[in-house]
Amino acid sequence: MAKNFFDKVRPTFSEGGKLSWLHSAFDAFETFFFVPNRTTGKGGTHVKDCVDLKRLLIIVVLALVPALLFGIWNLGFQHSKVFGLGWGFWQMVWYGFVKIIPLYLVSYIVGLGIEFASAQMKGHEVSEGYLVSGFIIPLIVPVDVPWWMLAIAVAFAVIIGKEVFGGTGMNIWNPALLARAFLFFSYPSKMSGDSVWVGGLSKALEGGTPWKGGEVVDALSGATPLSHASLDGLSAAGTSAWNLFLGDIPGAVGETSVIAILIGALILLCTGVASWKIMCSSVLGALLVGWLGQIGGVTDIPCWEQLLLGGFAFGTVFMATDPVTSAQTETGKWIYGFLIGALCITVRLFNPGYPEGMMLAILLMNTFAPLIDHYVVNANVKRRLGRAKTV
Amino acid sequence: MSDQIRLKKGLDLPIAGAALCEVTRRVAPGLVAVKPTDFRGMVPRLLVKEGDPVKAGTPLFADKKNTAMVFCSPVSGTVEAVVRGDKRKLLAVTVKADGKNESVRFDVPKISSLDKKGMTDLLLQCGLWPCLKQRPYGTVADPEAEPKAIFISGMNTAPLGADRDFTLKDEMAAVQAGIDALGRLTKGGVHFSLSAKNYAGSEFHKLTGVIFHQFEGPHPAGNVGVQINHISPINKGEVVWTVDLPLVAVIGRLFLKGIYDDRRIIAVAGPAAVNPSYAEVPAGVCMKDLSAFFGEGDVRVVSGDVLSGEAVGADGFLGFYDDQVSLLKEGNYYEMFGWINPFRSKKFSVSRAYPAFLRHKKYDMDTNENGGERPFLMNDVYGKVLPMDIYPLYLFKACLAGDLDKMEQLGIYEVIEEDVALCEYVCPSKIAIQDIVRKGIELMMKEM
């Protein structure tokens, strides 16, 4: 039935048709519903594996769903807690749902709009890469971020971060992180501080009208644990390691719950979509620097607790492992992941003004990933040349 | 005792329709073809015209660069057609057999009396020289070159590939004679690889005058290119020669019988094959003679294996180097929500994104691409199916960029298309990787 529909409207979108300028969009929708009837070439491999990028990317999206669902509940929970509303479970979920939907709409309409347009301009098929980026972006920005800001950030990430390099597969930096970095540096007041991570809080503070039943002390508890990144600070904010693990704390929608992220990690590792080497080495790097900081007296947070804090877990699982912007060689992945973990914690330990290091650590290592690969590949070239001399 | 090399990377494709070990059809010579396009880098000069009578062993065309290198008719009969393509490119010379089975009789001296020059001249004259392929690039061997060694793979790991222990079981004397002959051509010895699992079970382990190696592991462990990479990798400036095992027997028959005798037992297999089994055919056989094997519907006829063979069509001809015909259903259908289906139990994937790894069954694979073409995205899938000390993705990108230095550094001398065929199979971006490597090799041949 749906097939008939597509067959009927295909001429309209094909070359010479009235809507041929929407050809890429038509193609994207058609291939969404139907695996195309294209057959293999005459001289290549005649049979092909049934996996394609759509499948791999939908699995990443699937792996993000636990973090999203938890985040939706947590939005309502934090709001209810800070404002002393005493909401029930479904009220909290509804609040979170209403808050997050516009962010997704903005993210996908702007991002996919640009992707479709540029695919049409280049005469390519629409690549699915943005399905994942667009899903991540609302999970890592403050929930109260103005929509127009988010729209600009998304446009920046997709155009400057991706399309100018040639589109999906050619970008240097992770587009989702680039969107966040853009917001962070362009609109710092909306991106950091104690109040941005709880829905409705900054607005209430600006308005100067205190909320019913709320105290200033409650407002302080709205700060993310990272801005109190010491043991005393954490316990003063009433946050235990269990809270950090569970995730019922203020923070970006997707990154608070380590449990939900671990479920995602499990999905990614079982399906082999993300690199276990990067995840492992990132954790190792973080533990090492965290431990050094601990014995060096820089921090009193045990190194394992560093893994639960802030965006570390989310970044390690979902963003450091981006196959395009990470190191491409297997040896390189160990180095790349290790440095991300180490850098993230280093930034945390030594920069009190900017306690969250994951975003910059990943972006920095995205930049250096090609360099790491270059040396790994060169070592292979040298080894192969050396082979000639020994024979 | 031979060395054992165990390879972990690779993939044995679980494709249905394996050939039963039985010769169910003996095809009398009918229409056959010799195709210049089977020989990379060779520019043909035609030596016959339509209607000329030929015998088995009569030259049909020669290499323009070295006219001593001739390509012979495998049967006796008359030249039926000279098939040309765009720009009058010679595509095939077809010969209609007359059923007399006459052969040119060659004056063949004893193998032991021939030196390299003598052996080379004899093989060139009898049209058997093209059996020797050369690495780098997989061209016909250059008679002037000094090969480091000659490599023969005694194991066939290609999907649905012919079992040479079966197809050559009555040809041991010919294989031995062929190996003795090849031994005259190089000082580096003739290297012969066998499956470690079936070393003693294979008659080939009784061969003499060869250096044995044992390989264990999934496809492409049986590819001679992979074996060379582990036995004695090719470096810049070096040349090795390879010969397919069935063609070793053809060379051997020259010395046993004094004639060009290229009858082959080939596997006819695949999901679209009726009664998949073996057939005895003349070289270059027309696929029409095998039509009894074709299943219902739109069938793709592939000369060679499903990974790197050539789709020749139902009226095409068997390739010079092939001893296998693969039959596949054309996959020109739409599959609703295929990529969302959690199980997709009728399709195989090596990726754990599908639960295929839990199932142990053979699949009716067809020619559907199973997705649209995208840029390179996943970077770890290719290395898992290429058991060589090479970074495949970087090599492919160097080929795409046409960067000669990089291609050389990254290993273009060591691979031909068949070695990277599995990379193309697993590629989730559906990129024509063999085509990329082919163009890279052609560029290297032109520029270097």
Side-chain angles (χ1 to χ4, degrees):
Chain A
M1 195 180 64
K3 188 79 228 96
N4 290 342
F5 170 74
F6 277 111
D7 285 341
K8 211 170 107 189
V9 297
R10 184 175 294 114
T12 321
F13 290 96
S14 304
E15 207 163 320
K18 254 189 242 164
L19 295 174
S20 63
W21 57 278
L22 279 176
H23 176 76
S24 282
F26 171 79
D27 191 69
F29 281 111
E30 187 181 18
T31 59
F32 185 88
F33 287 102
F34 296 95
V35 175
N37 65 345
R38 199 171 340 206
T39 53
T40 51
K42 278 184 124 185
T45 299
H46 298 282
V47 294
K48 295 245 173 141
D49 198 281
C50 75
V51 79
D52 64 352
L53 284 191
K54 279 193 177 68
R55 178 69 171 197
L56 296 176
L57 295 178
I58 202 71
I59 282 180
V60 182
V61 170
L62 196 70
L64 283 160
V65 165
L68 170 68
L69 292 180
F70 184 90
I72 287 176
W73 169 81
N74 192 40
L75 276 176
F77 176 72
Q78 294 302 328
H79 184 79
S80 158
K81 189 175 157 197
V82 168
F83 289 82
L85 299 175
W87 276 349
F89 175 77
W90 288 111
Q91 272 175 306
M92 296 178 192
V93 169
W94 177 248
Y95 176 84
F97 186 71
V98 170
K99 278 292 214 185
I100 198 85
I101 284 297
L103 298 189
Y104 271 106
L105 286 178
V106 171
S107 165
Y108 275 126
I109 290 172
V110 175
L112 284 182
I114 297 170
E115 288 263 350
F116 276 58
S118 71
Q120 182 67 45
M121 266 155 55
K122 292 184 204 157
H124 288 178
E125 287 186 36
V126 178
S127 181
E128 295 84 0
Y130 192 76
L131 276 181
V132 172
S133 305
F135 204 86
I136 290 182
I137 289 173
L139 297 179
I140 57 173
V141 298
V143 70
D144 277 339
V145 66
W147 301 344
W148 62 269
M149 267 186 211
L150 185 64
I152 293 178
V154 166
F156 174 83
V158 176
I159 296 173
I160 307 291
K162 204 157 123 180
E163 294 306 332
V164 294
F165 291 105
T168 301
M170 319 287 181
N171 45 315
I172 298 175
W173 297 288
N174 183 308
L177 271 179
L178 215 55
R180 187 183 162 159
F182 179 83
L183 285 174
F184 183 82
F185 290 111
S186 309
Y187 310 103
S189 65
K190 298 284 180 192
M191 280 300 290
S192 54
D194 284 353
S195 60
V196 300
W197 300 108
V198 174
L201 183 56
S202 42
K203 207 173 171 187
L205 284 176
E206 273 166 25
T209 46
W211 44 93
K212 269 183 233 158
E215 301 285 332
V216 183
V217 184
D218 286 324
L220 276 180
S221 76
T224 59
L226 259 186
S227 37
H228 308 271
S230 67
L231 270 189
D232 287 345
L234 283 174
S235 56
T239 313
S240 67
W242 174 248
N243 291 133
L244 293 174
F245 187 59
L246 189 65
D248 58 342
I249 50 168
V253 179
E255 59 184 31
T256 59
S257 172
V258 179
I259 292 184
I261 293 166
L262 280 179
I263 296 172
L266 202 68
I267 295 174
L268 290 181
L269 293 178
C270 286
T271 53
V273 173
S275 163
W276 62 273
K277 289 172 188 161
I278 293 176
M279 288 195 207
C280 257
S281 57
S282 170
V283 167
L284 284 177
L287 281 177
L288 181 76
V289 174
W291 178 70
L292 287 176
Q294 203 188 337
I295 60 166
V298 183
T299 180
D300 56 356
I301 299 179
C303 56
W304 58 270
E305 220 172 308
Q306 295 281 13
L307 305 182
L308 309 177
L309 276 170
F312 175 81
F314 191 86
T316 293
V317 172
F318 294 111
M319 303 211 272
T321 54
D322 171 2
V324 176
T325 55
S326 68
Q328 311 274 307
T329 56
E330 299 305 301
T331 318
K333 281 175 187 167
W334 285 107
I335 303 170
Y336 163 87
F338 185 86
L339 288 175
I340 284 182
L343 266 174
C344 168
I345 306 301
T346 311
V347 172
R348 250 183 221 177
L349 292 181
F350 295 106
N351 187 352
Y354 182 63
E356 179 53 290
M358 202 54 182
M359 174 180 88
L360 293 183
I362 296 176
L363 285 176
L364 191 68
M365 290 319 297
N366 282 172
T367 316
F368 284 110
L371 187 71
I372 298 172
D373 286 332
H374 174 80
Y375 281 109
V376 172
V377 172
N378 257 16
N380 173 270
V381 169
K382 286 218 182 82
R383 183 165 69 242
R384 294 155 48 78
L385 278 178
R387 212 174 55 181
K389 282 171 205 142
T390 54
V391 170
Chain B
M1 194 55 213
S2 55
D3 53 337
Q4 268 202 30
I5 297 159
R6 180 172 300 185
L7 304 177
K8 289 209 176 113
K9 295 173 175 178
L11 173 68
D12 284 326
L13 215 57
I15 181 169
L20 210 67
C21 272
E22 192 187 344
V23 178
T24 54
R25 209 176 162 75
R26 289 179 203 278
V27 177
L31 189 65
V32 301
V34 185
K35 299 182 278 186
T37 44
D38 287 343
F39 311 99
R40 170 178 280 153
M42 195 274 300
V43 183
R45 169 178 289 170
L46 202 59
L47 300 176
V48 292
K49 54 186 189 300
E50 286 169 15
D52 280 0
V54 292
K55 293 178 180 176
T58 306
L60 298 177
F61 51 88
D63 183 0
K64 251 184 194 163
K65 282 172 286 181
N66 178 2
T67 46
M69 192 191 294
V70 293
F71 299 77
C72 294
S73 168
V75 299
S76 68
T78 48
V79 176
E80 168 102 348
V82 174
V83 186
R84 289 183 187 274
D86 292 344
K87 296 185 190 165
R88 290 182 44 82
K89 185 182 174 186
L90 185 59
L91 297 180
V93 177
T94 60
V95 176
K96 179 92 183 158
D98 54 12
K100 290 185 199 149
N101 292 336
E102 287 174 326
S103 298
V104 179
R105 296 218 71 90
F106 295 102
D107 181 19
V108 181
K110 268 190 148 161
I111 293 173
S112 54
S113 69
L114 289 166
D115 59 359
K116 180 179 183 229
K117 176 89 176 52
M119 182 60 75
T120 307
D121 289 344
L122 181 67
L123 291 180
L124 280 170
Q125 181 207 342
C126 307
L128 286 172
W129 187 261
C131 296
L132 281 87
K133 277 201 275 190
Q134 177 167 316
R135 298 287 180 112
Y137 308 145
T139 55
V140 176
D142 173 8
E144 306 291 318
E146 279 296 335
K148 189 162 76 160
I150 294 178
F151 292 85
I152 300 165
S153 171
M155 55 194 280
N156 189 1
T157 52
L160 307 174
D163 176 1
R164 271 83 185 251
D165 281 316
F166 171 71
T167 60
L168 295 174
K169 67 177 190 300
D170 300 328
E171 300 286 335
M172 282 303 153
V175 172
Q176 182 63 60
I179 281 172
D180 294 341
L182 292 173
R184 313 304 293 177
L185 293 173
T186 174
K187 296 190 181 84
V190 178
H191 294 258
F192 196 96
S193 306
L194 278 171
S195 162
K197 275 193 185 146
N198 187 31
Y199 179 72
S202 169
E203 282 292 303
F204 296 119
H205 85 275
K206 294 177 187 157
L207 293 173
T208 58
V210 295
I211 305 158
F212 280 113
H213 304 274
Q214 295 182 44
F215 279 84
E216 193 180 337
H219 186 64
N223 279 12
V224 71
V226 171
Q227 294 167 358
I228 296 170
N229 181 269
H230 289 272
I231 297 167
S232 173
I234 305 160
N235 300 297
K236 188 181 182 181
E238 291 176 343
V239 166
V240 305
W241 289 347
T242 69
V243 192
D244 294 345
L245 192 50
L247 295 176
V248 176
V250 177
I251 294 174
R253 270 177 238 144
L254 173 72
F255 290 95
L256 298 183
K257 300 186 190 167
I259 55 169
Y260 183 107
D261 175 10
D262 191 357
R263 273 185 83 74
R264 307 175 183 186
I265 296 180
I266 62 167
V268 187
V274 179
N275 185 18
S277 51
Y278 288 82
E280 192 190 324
V281 299
V285 64
C286 182
M287 294 299 164
K288 280 181 190 158
D289 291 334
L290 296 169
S291 58
F293 287 102
F294 300 175
E296 296 276 301
D298 198 0
V299 174
R300 179 178 295 197
V301 182
V302 177
S303 172
D305 69 75
V306 295
L307 291 176
S308 50
E310 188 194 355
V312 293
D315 49 5
F317 300 90
L318 187 71
F320 181 79
Y321 297 102
D322 297 328
D323 67 342
Q324 172 181 7
V325 171
S326 306
L327 301 169
L328 291 164
K329 289 188 201 87
E330 287 287 4
N332 47 357
Y333 55 84
Y334 289 89
E335 187 184 2
M336 193 166 184
F337 288 129
W339 60 280
I340 306 177
N341 184 337
F343 307 111
R344 224 177 178 186
S345 55
K346 286 186 179 154
K347 297 226 172 184
F348 174 73
S349 175
V350 69
S351 160
R352 275 177 289 144
Y354 287 100
F357 66 98
L358 297 172
R359 300 188 289 256
H360 293 281
K361 68 167 199 175
K362 304 279 185 189
Y363 294 81
D364 279 344
M365 297 184 183
D366 56 46
T367 63
N368 193 288
E369 283 259 18
N370 293 315
E373 188 172 340
R374 296 288 182 269
F376 281 114
L377 199 96
M378 302 305 282
N379 52 50
D380 59 345
V381 293
Y382 310 105
K384 287 177 184 166
V385 290
L386 183 68
M388 292 195 194
D389 185 19
I390 278 176
Y391 281 102
L393 192 56
Y394 284 83
L395 176 61
F396 305 153
K397 287 187 175 173
C399 291
L400 277 174
D403 185 333
L404 302 173
D405 285 342
K406 277 267 154 56
M407 280 196 262
E408 181 181 302
Q409 290 170 353
L410 293 167
I412 193 76
Y413 295 140
E414 298 189 57
V415 296
I416 61 171
E417 293 91 322
E418 62 178 26
D419 300 320
V420 299
L422 273 171
C423 298
E424 182 171 336
Y425 171 79
V426 300
C427 178
S429 300
K430 312 295 172 192
I431 292 170
I433 287 170
Q434 293 188 81
D435 201 42
I436 292 172
V437 170
R438 180 178 303 127
K439 285 183 182 140
I441 288 176
E442 278 162 10
L443 187 69
M444 291 295 286
M445 287 171 61
K446 204 170 121 202
E447 300 286 332
M448 302 291 278

